[in-house]
Amino acid sequence: MFKPLKKEIVSVLVENQANVLTRVVSMFGRRGFNIDSLTVSATNDPNLSRITIVFSATEQKMQQILTQTEKLEVVKSIYVLNRENSLYRELLLIKIGANQAQRSAIKEIVDIFRGKIVDLSKESLIVELTGTPEKLDGFMDVIEDYNVLEVCRTGITGIESHPLK
């Protein structure tokens, strides 16, 4: 019987030391999971780092990988970020080939999405945009009619905004 895959966003608090990222990511790789997005960041505690992992899994497989990852001695906590009570953000840097005539139209699109042009040359401009993955996807859909030269996305990072009731 087919079991649907569900995209999950997991937050892992780990000890801030060498090789921790390798150990956590290796756990996912050894179990056959493909990581869609991975971010690592500092926390308010200098002894801890936060790893945000986006991957797809069935409910059963997701519970297995969470349990196995939690058993690593460098892992302090691991939990799924639920869409109802969490905030997600991602950063996009995009280089767009643009001549003088195209710049104002591109600037209008950037302004609508609340982005900013952070670099400008005669042949191109670089846009910085922060927001939800859906917002960035929407921007990419609108801007695809222009000459997109390079794209760099950080991947999702997230945090719980309030506990579920």
Side-chain angles (χ1 to χ4, degrees):
M1 181 173 162
F2 173 75
K3 294 185 180 181
L5 295 179
K6 183 178 171 192
K7 188 169 289 248
E8 297 292 352
I9 302 172
V10 175
S11 181
V12 188
L13 284 176
V14 296
E15 292 178 6
N16 187 12
Q17 62 186 35
N19 295 322
V20 170
L21 179 61
T22 301
R23 294 181 69 192
V24 172
V25 170
S26 293
M27 175 71 71
F28 279 74
R30 285 192 311 269
R31 304 299 185 277
F33 288 94
N34 183 44
I35 294 175
D36 298 323
S37 172
L38 176 74
T39 61
V40 182
S41 59
T43 67
N44 56 321
D45 182 342
N47 298 312
L48 297 176
S49 294
R50 178 183 311 277
I51 302 174
T52 306
I53 304 170
V54 181
F55 65 100
S56 296
T58 63
E59 186 65 32
Q60 179 185 9
K61 292 285 188 186
M62 190 216 23
Q63 288 304 321
Q64 287 175 348
I65 192 66
L66 292 178
T67 301
Q68 291 167 348
T69 303
E70 191 171 42
K71 290 179 183 177
L72 293 172
E73 66 274 2
V74 294
V75 173
K76 298 303 172 197
S77 69
I78 182 169
Y79 54 91
V80 176
L81 293 173
N82 296 310
R83 294 193 186 280
E84 305 84 49
N85 68 331
S86 299
L87 296 173
Y88 306 127
R89 292 295 181 264
E90 188 174 0
L91 169 68
L92 166 73
L93 292 175
I94 182 169
K95 184 189 275 186
I96 305 165
N99 59 36
Q100 186 100 19
Q102 296 171 312
R103 287 188 187 146
S104 63
I106 293 171
K107 183 175 180 344
E108 284 183 36
I109 295 168
V110 170
D111 289 345
I112 288 168
F113 281 88
R114 296 190 181 131
K116 56 184 169 178
I117 296 171
V118 293
D119 189 59
L120 179 66
S121 72
K122 290 182 181 182
E123 300 85 28
S124 66
L125 51 89
I126 298 175
V127 175
E128 175 185 300
L129 183 63
T130 304
T132 64
E134 295 80 14
K135 175 183 174 182
L136 274 55
D137 291 342
F139 177 79
M140 293 296 295
D141 288 343
V142 172
I143 210 73
E144 74 181 3
D145 293 337
Y146 294 91
N147 183 18
V148 175
L149 302 173
E150 289 184 65
V151 174
C152 181
R153 289 178 76 157
T154 59
I156 296 170
T157 192
I159 193 167
E160 280 187 322
S161 57
H162 54 82
L164 287 174
K165 295 179 182 174

